[in-house]
Coordinates of all heavy atoms in Angstrom, one line a residue:
A154 N 5.9 0.5 -60.2 CA 6.4 -0.3 -59.1 C 6.5 -1.8 -59.7 O 7.4 -2.5 -59.4 CB 5.6 -0.2 -57.9
Q155 N 5.3 -2.2 -60.4 CA 5.4 -3.6 -60.7 C 6.4 -3.9 -61.9 O 7.1 -4.9 -61.8 CB 4.0 -3.9 -61.4 CG 3.6 -5.4 -61.6 CD 4.1 -6.1 -60.3 OE1 3.7 -5.8 -59.2 NE2 4.8 -7.2 -60.5
V157 N 9.3 -2.4 -62.1 CA 10.6 -2.4 -61.3 C 10.9 -3.9 -60.8 O 11.8 -4.4 -61.0 CB 10.6 -1.4 -60.2 CG1 11.8 -1.6 -59.2 CG2 10.5 0.0 -60.7
V158 N 9.9 -4.4 -60.1 CA 10.0 -5.7 -59.6 C 10.3 -6.8 -60.7 O 11.1 -7.7 -60.5 CB 8.7 -6.2 -58.8 CG1 8.9 -7.5 -58.1 CG2 8.5 -5.2 -57.6
G174 N 2.2 -9.7 -54.4 CA 2.6 -8.8 -53.3 C 4.1 -8.5 -53.1 O 4.4 -7.6 -52.4
G175 N 4.9 -9.2 -53.7 CA 6.3 -8.9 -53.6 C 7.3 -10.1 -54.1 O 7.0 -10.7 -55.0
V176 N 8.4 -10.3 -53.3 CA 9.3 -11.4 -53.7 C 9.6 -12.3 -52.5 O 9.5 -11.8 -51.4 CB 10.5 -10.8 -54.3 CG1 10.3 -9.9 -55.6 CG2 11.4 -10.0 -53.3
V190 N 10.2 -11.1 -42.8 CA 9.5 -10.4 -43.9 C 9.6 -9.0 -43.7 O 9.2 -8.5 -42.6 CB 8.1 -11.0 -44.1 CG1 7.3 -10.1 -45.1 CG2 8.0 -12.5 -44.4
I191 N 10.2 -8.4 -44.7 CA 10.4 -6.9 -44.7 C 9.6 -6.2 -45.7 O 8.9 -6.9 -46.6 CB 11.9 -6.5 -44.8 CG1 12.4 -7.0 -46.2 CG2 12.7 -7.2 -43.6 CD1 13.9 -6.6 -46.4
G192 N 9.5 -4.9 -45.7 CA 8.9 -4.3 -46.8 C 8.5 -2.8 -46.5 O 8.9 -2.3 -45.6
G193 N 7.7 -2.3 -47.6 CA 7.3 -1.1 -47.6 C 7.0 -0.6 -49.0 O 6.8 -1.5 -49.9
G194 N 7.0 0.7 -49.2 CA 6.8 1.1 -50.7 C 7.9 0.9 -51.6 O 8.9 0.5 -51.1
S195 N 7.6 1.2 -52.9 CA 8.8 1.2 -53.8 C 9.5 2.5 -53.9 O 8.9 3.5 -53.4 CB 8.2 0.9 -55.2 OG 7.6 -0.4 -55.3
G196 N 10.7 2.6 -54.5 CA 11.3 3.9 -54.8 C 12.5 4.0 -53.8 O 13.2 5.0 -53.7
H197 N 12.8 2.9 -53.0 CA 13.8 2.9 -52.0 C 15.0 1.9 -52.3 O 15.8 1.6 -51.5 CB 13.3 2.5 -50.6 CG 12.1 3.3 -50.2 ND1 12.2 4.7 -50.0 CD2 10.8 2.9 -49.9 CE1 11.0 5.1 -49.6 NE2 10.1 4.1 -49.6
Y198 N 15.0 1.4 -53.5 CA 16.0 0.3 -53.7 C 17.5 0.7 -53.3 O 17.8 1.8 -53.5 CB 16.0 0.0 -55.3 CG 16.8 -1.3 -55.4 CD1 16.1 -2.6 -55.3 CD2 18.1 -1.3 -55.7 CE1 16.9 -3.7 -55.4 CE2 18.9 -2.6 -55.9 CZ 18.3 -3.7 -55.7 OH 18.9 -4.8 -55.8
P199 N 18.2 -0.2 -52.7 CA 18.0 -1.6 -52.6 C 17.0 -2.0 -51.5 O 16.6 -3.3 -51.5 CB 19.4 -2.1 -52.2 CG 20.1 -1.0 -51.6 CD 19.7 0.2 -52.3
A200 N 16.6 -1.2 -50.6 CA 15.4 -1.5 -49.8 C 14.2 -1.6 -50.7 O 14.1 -0.7 -51.5 CB 15.2 -0.4 -48.7
F201 N 13.3 -2.6 -50.7 CA 13.4 -3.7 -49.6 C 13.7 -4.9 -50.3 O 14.3 -5.8 -49.7 CB 12.1 -3.7 -48.9 CG 11.8 -2.4 -48.1 CD1 11.0 -1.4 -48.7 CD2 12.4 -2.2 -46.9 CE1 10.9 -0.2 -48.1 CE2 12.1 -0.9 -46.2 CZ 11.4 -0.1 -46.8
A202 N 13.2 -5.1 -51.6 CA 13.4 -6.4 -52.3 C 14.9 -6.8 -52.6 O 15.2 -8.0 -52.6 CB 12.7 -6.3 -53.7
G203 N 15.7 -5.7 -52.6 CA 17.2 -6.1 -52.7 C 17.8 -6.8 -51.6 O 19.0 -7.1 -51.6
W204 N 17.1 -7.0 -50.5 CA 17.8 -7.6 -49.3 C 17.1 -8.9 -49.0 O 17.1 -9.4 -47.8 CB 17.4 -6.7 -48.1 CG 18.3 -5.3 -48.2 CD1 19.3 -5.1 -49.0 CD2 18.0 -4.1 -47.6 NE1 19.9 -3.8 -48.8 CE2 19.0 -3.2 -48.0 CE3 17.0 -3.6 -46.7 CZ2 19.0 -1.9 -47.6 CZ3 17.1 -2.3 -46.3 CH2 18.0 -1.4 -46.7
V205 N 16.6 -9.6 -50.0 CA 16.0 -10.9 -49.8 C 17.1 -11.9 -50.3 O 17.7 -11.9 -51.4 CB 14.8 -11.1 -50.6 CG1 14.3 -12.6 -50.6 CG2 13.6 -10.3 -50.1
A210 N 16.7 -11.3 -45.5 CA 15.2 -11.5 -45.4 C 14.8 -12.8 -46.2 O 15.4 -13.2 -47.2 CB 14.5 -10.3 -45.9
G212 N 11.5 -12.7 -47.5 CA 10.6 -12.2 -48.3 C 10.5 -10.6 -48.1 O 10.8 -10.1 -47.1
A213 N 10.2 -10.0 -49.3 CA 9.9 -8.5 -49.2 C 8.6 -8.1 -49.9 O 8.3 -8.6 -50.9 CB 11.1 -7.8 -49.8
V214 N 7.8 -7.3 -49.1 CA 6.5 -6.9 -49.7 C 6.9 -5.6 -50.3 O 7.6 -4.7 -49.8 CB 5.5 -6.6 -48.6 CG1 4.1 -6.6 -49.2 CG2 5.6 -7.7 -47.5
V215 N 6.3 -5.4 -51.6 CA 6.6 -4.3 -52.4 C 5.3 -3.5 -52.7 O 4.4 -4.0 -53.5 CB 7.2 -4.8 -53.8 CG1 7.5 -3.7 -54.6 CG2 8.5 -5.6 -53.5
G216 N 5.2 -2.3 -52.1 CA 4.0 -1.4 -52.3 C 4.2 -0.6 -53.6 O 5.2 -0.7 -54.2
N217 N 3.3 0.3 -53.8 CA 3.5 1.2 -54.9 C 4.5 2.2 -54.5 O 5.1 2.3 -53.4 CB 2.2 1.9 -55.2 CG 1.3 1.2 -56.2 OD1 1.9 0.6 -57.1 ND2 0.1 1.1 -56.0
V218 N 4.9 3.1 -55.4 CA 6.0 4.2 -55.0 C 5.6 4.9 -53.8 O 4.5 5.5 -53.8 CB 6.2 5.2 -56.2 CG1 7.2 6.2 -55.8 CG2 6.6 4.3 -57.4
F219 N 6.4 4.8 -52.7 CA 6.2 5.6 -51.5 C 4.9 5.2 -50.7 O 4.5 5.9 -49.8 CB 6.2 7.1 -51.7 CG 7.6 7.6 -52.1 CD1 7.7 8.9 -52.4 CD2 8.7 6.8 -52.1 CE1 9.1 9.4 -52.7 CE2 9.9 7.3 -52.4 CZ 10.1 8.6 -52.8
A220 N 4.2 4.2 -51.2 CA 3.0 3.8 -50.5 C 3.1 2.5 -49.8 O 3.8 1.6 -50.2 CB 1.8 3.8 -51.5
S221 N 2.5 2.4 -48.7 CA 2.6 1.1 -47.9 C 1.9 0.1 -48.7 O 1.0 0.3 -49.5 CB 1.7 1.2 -46.6 OG 1.2 0.0 -46.2
P222 N 2.5 -1.2 -48.7 CA 1.8 -2.3 -49.3 C 0.5 -2.5 -48.7 O 0.3 -2.1 -47.5 CB 2.8 -3.5 -49.3 CG 3.7 -3.1 -48.1 CD 3.7 -1.6 -48.0
S223 N -0.4 -3.3 -49.3 CA -1.8 -3.6 -48.8 C -1.6 -4.8 -47.9 O -0.6 -5.6 -47.9 CB -2.8 -3.9 -49.8 OG -2.5 -5.1 -50.4
T224 N -2.6 -4.9 -47.0 CA -2.7 -6.1 -46.1 C -2.6 -7.4 -46.8 O -1.9 -8.3 -46.5 CB -4.0 -6.0 -45.3 OG1 -4.1 -4.8 -44.6 CG2 -4.0 -7.2 -44.2
Q226 N -1.2 -8.0 -49.8 CA 0.1 -8.3 -50.3 C 1.0 -8.9 -49.2 O 1.8 -9.8 -49.4 CB 0.6 -7.0 -50.8 CG 0.1 -6.5 -52.2 CD 0.8 -5.2 -52.6 OE1 0.7 -4.1 -51.9 NE2 1.3 -5.2 -53.7
I227 N 0.9 -8.1 -48.0 CA 1.8 -8.6 -46.9 C 1.5 -10.0 -46.5 O 2.4 -10.8 -46.3 CB 1.6 -7.6 -45.7 CG1 2.0 -6.2 -46.1 CG2 2.4 -8.1 -44.4 CD1 1.5 -5.0 -45.1
V230 N 2.9 -12.5 -49.1 CA 4.3 -12.8 -49.1 C 4.7 -13.6 -47.8 O 5.4 -14.5 -47.8 CB 5.0 -11.4 -49.2 CG1 6.6 -11.6 -48.8 CG2 4.8 -10.7 -50.5
F242 N 8.1 -9.8 -38.8 CA 8.0 -8.6 -39.7 C 8.8 -7.4 -39.3 O 8.9 -7.2 -38.1 CB 6.5 -8.1 -39.6 CG 5.5 -9.0 -40.4 CD1 4.5 -9.5 -39.7 CD2 5.6 -9.2 -41.8 CE1 3.6 -10.3 -40.3 CE2 4.7 -10.0 -42.4 CZ 3.6 -10.6 -41.7
S243 N 9.4 -6.7 -40.2 CA 10.1 -5.5 -39.8 C 10.1 -4.6 -41.0 O 10.0 -5.0 -42.2 CB 11.6 -5.8 -39.5 OG 12.1 -4.6 -38.8
Y244 N 9.9 -3.3 -40.7 CA 9.7 -2.3 -41.7 C 9.8 -0.9 -41.1 O 9.9 -0.8 -39.8 CB 8.3 -2.4 -42.3 CG 7.2 -2.4 -41.2 CD1 6.7 -1.2 -40.7 CD2 6.7 -3.6 -40.7 CE1 5.6 -1.3 -39.8 CE2 5.8 -3.7 -39.7 CZ 5.2 -2.5 -39.3 OH 4.3 -2.5 -38.3
G245 N 9.9 0.2 -41.8 CA 10.1 1.5 -41.2 C 8.8 2.0 -40.7 O 7.7 1.7 -41.2
N246 N 8.9 2.6 -39.5 CA 7.6 3.1 -38.9 C 7.0 4.3 -39.5 O 7.3 5.4 -39.4 CB 8.1 3.5 -37.4 CG 7.0 3.7 -36.5 OD1 5.9 3.1 -36.5 ND2 7.1 4.7 -35.7
Y247 N 6.0 3.9 -40.4 CA 5.2 4.8 -41.0 C 3.7 4.4 -40.8 O 3.5 3.2 -40.9 CB 5.5 5.1 -42.4 CG 6.8 5.7 -42.7 CD1 8.0 4.9 -42.8 CD2 7.1 7.1 -42.8 CE1 9.2 5.5 -43.0 CE2 8.2 7.6 -43.0 CZ 9.5 6.8 -43.1 OH 10.6 7.3 -43.3
A248 N 2.8 5.3 -40.7 CA 1.5 5.1 -40.3 C 0.8 3.9 -41.2 O 0.1 3.0 -40.7 CB 0.6 6.3 -40.2
G249 N 0.9 4.2 -42.5 CA 0.2 3.2 -43.4 C 0.9 1.8 -43.3 O 0.1 0.8 -43.3
D250 N 2.1 1.7 -43.2 CA 2.8 0.5 -43.1 C 2.3 -0.3 -41.8 O 2.1 -1.5 -41.8 CB 4.2 0.5 -43.0 CG 4.8 1.1 -44.4 OD1 4.9 0.4 -45.3 OD2 4.9 2.3 -44.5
V251 N 2.3 0.5 -40.7 CA 2.0 -0.1 -39.3 C 0.4 -0.7 -39.4 O 0.3 -1.9 -39.0 CB 2.0 1.0 -38.2 CG1 1.3 0.5 -37.0 CG2 3.3 1.5 -38.1
N253 N -1.2 -1.8 -42.1 CA -1.3 -2.8 -43.0 C -0.6 -4.1 -42.4 O -1.1 -5.2 -42.5 CB -0.9 -2.5 -44.4 CG -2.0 -1.7 -45.1 OD1 -3.0 -2.2 -45.3 ND2 -1.6 -0.4 -45.5
F254 N 0.6 -3.8 -41.9 CA 1.3 -5.0 -41.3 C 0.7 -5.6 -40.2 O 0.7 -6.8 -39.9 CB 2.8 -4.5 -41.1 CG 3.8 -4.7 -42.2 CD1 4.0 -3.6 -43.1 CD2 4.5 -5.8 -42.5 CE1 4.9 -3.7 -44.2 CE2 5.4 -5.9 -43.5 CZ 5.5 -4.8 -44.4
V273 N 10.9 -0.2 -37.4 CA 12.2 0.5 -37.1 C 12.0 2.0 -36.9 O 11.2 2.7 -37.6 CB 13.2 0.4 -38.4 CG1 14.5 1.1 -38.1 CG2 13.4 -1.1 -38.7
G290 N 11.3 5.4 -39.5 CA 12.4 4.4 -39.9 C 13.1 5.0 -41.2 O 12.4 5.3 -42.1
T291 N 14.4 5.0 -41.1 CA 15.2 5.3 -42.3 C 16.2 4.4 -42.6 O 16.0 3.2 -42.7 CB 15.7 6.8 -42.1 OG1 16.4 7.0 -41.1 CG2 14.5 7.8 -42.1
D294 N 17.0 0.8 -41.0 CA 16.3 -0.4 -41.5 C 17.4 -1.4 -41.8 O 17.1 -2.6 -41.4 CB 15.5 -0.1 -42.8 CG 14.2 0.6 -42.6 OD1 13.7 0.9 -41.5 OD2 13.6 1.0 -43.7
F298 N 17.2 -5.1 -40.1 CA 16.9 -6.2 -40.9 C 18.1 -7.3 -41.0 O 17.9 -8.4 -41.0 CB 16.6 -5.8 -42.4 CG 15.4 -4.8 -42.6 CD1 15.2 -4.1 -43.7 CD2 14.6 -4.6 -41.6 CE1 14.2 -3.2 -43.9 CE2 13.5 -3.7 -41.7 CZ 13.3 -3.1 -42.9
V358 N 12.1 9.0 -45.7 CA 12.7 8.6 -46.9 C 11.4 8.5 -48.1 O 11.4 7.7 -48.9 CB 13.3 7.2 -46.8 CG1 14.6 7.2 -46.2 CG2 12.3 6.2 -46.2
H359 N 10.5 9.5 -48.0 CA 9.5 9.5 -48.9 C 9.3 10.9 -49.6 O 8.2 11.3 -49.9 CB 8.2 9.2 -48.2 CG 8.2 7.8 -47.6 ND1 8.6 7.6 -46.4 CD2 7.9 6.6 -48.1 CE1 8.5 6.3 -46.0 NE2 8.1 5.7 -47.2
I437 N 19.3 2.9 -48.6 CA 17.8 3.1 -48.7 C 17.6 4.5 -49.3 O 18.0 5.5 -48.7 CB 17.0 2.9 -47.4 CG1 15.6 3.4 -47.4 CG2 17.7 3.5 -46.2 CD1 14.7 2.7 -46.4
T438 N 17.1 4.4 -50.5 CA 17.0 5.7 -51.3 C 15.5 6.2 -51.2 O 14.6 5.6 -50.8 CB 17.5 5.4 -52.7 OG1 16.6 4.4 -53.3 CG2 18.8 5.1 -52.8
D534 N 3.8 12.9 -48.0 CA 4.7 12.3 -49.1 C 4.0 12.4 -50.6 O 4.7 11.9 -51.4 CB 5.0 10.9 -48.7 CG 3.7 10.1 -48.6 OD1 2.6 10.7 -48.6 OD2 3.8 8.9 -48.4
D536 N 1.4 11.2 -51.9 CA 0.8 10.1 -52.7 C -0.7 10.1 -52.5 O -1.3 9.1 -52.9 CB 1.5 8.8 -52.2 CG 1.2 8.5 -50.7 OD1 0.7 9.5 -50.1 OD2 1.5 7.5 -50.2
D575 N -6.6 -3.3 -51.0 CA -5.5 -3.9 -51.7 C -4.6 -3.1 -52.7 O -3.4 -3.2 -52.7 CB -6.0 -5.2 -52.4 CG -5.0 -6.1 -53.0 OD1 -3.8 -6.0 -52.4 OD2 -5.2 -6.9 -53.9
A577 N -4.9 0.6 -53.0 CA -4.7 2.1 -52.8 C -3.3 2.3 -52.1 O -2.6 3.2 -52.5 CB -5.8 2.6 -51.9
G578 N -3.0 1.4 -51.1 CA -1.7 1.6 -50.4 C -1.9 2.8 -49.5 O -2.9 3.5 -49.4
G579 N -1.0 3.0 -48.5 CA -0.9 4.2 -47.7 C -2.0 4.0 -46.5 O -2.6 3.1 -46.5
R679 N 1.7 10.7 -41.1 CA 3.0 11.1 -41.8 C 3.2 12.6 -41.7 O 4.3 13.0 -41.7 CB 2.9 10.7 -43.2 CG 4.1 10.2 -43.7 CD 4.1 10.2 -45.2 NE 3.6 8.9 -45.8 CZ 4.2 7.7 -45.8 NH1 5.3 7.7 -45.3 NH2 3.7 6.7 -46.5

Side-chain angles (χ1 to χ4, degrees):
Q155 196 45 54
V157 171
V158 182
V176 301
V190 173
I191 60 176
S195 295
H197 306 298
Y198 193 83
F201 300 92
W204 296 334
V205 173
V214 197
V215 180
N217 273 324
V218 177
F219 289 175
S221 153
S223 70
T224 305
Q226 288 181 303
I227 298 163
V230 172
F242 288 116
S243 195
Y244 52 85
N246 186 37
Y247 293 88
D250 296 277
V251 174
N253 283 299
F254 274 90
V273 182
T291 58
D294 282 355
F298 302 166
V358 286
H359 299 89
I437 169 158
T438 56
D534 56 356
D536 66 349
D575 192 22
R679 216 195 270 292

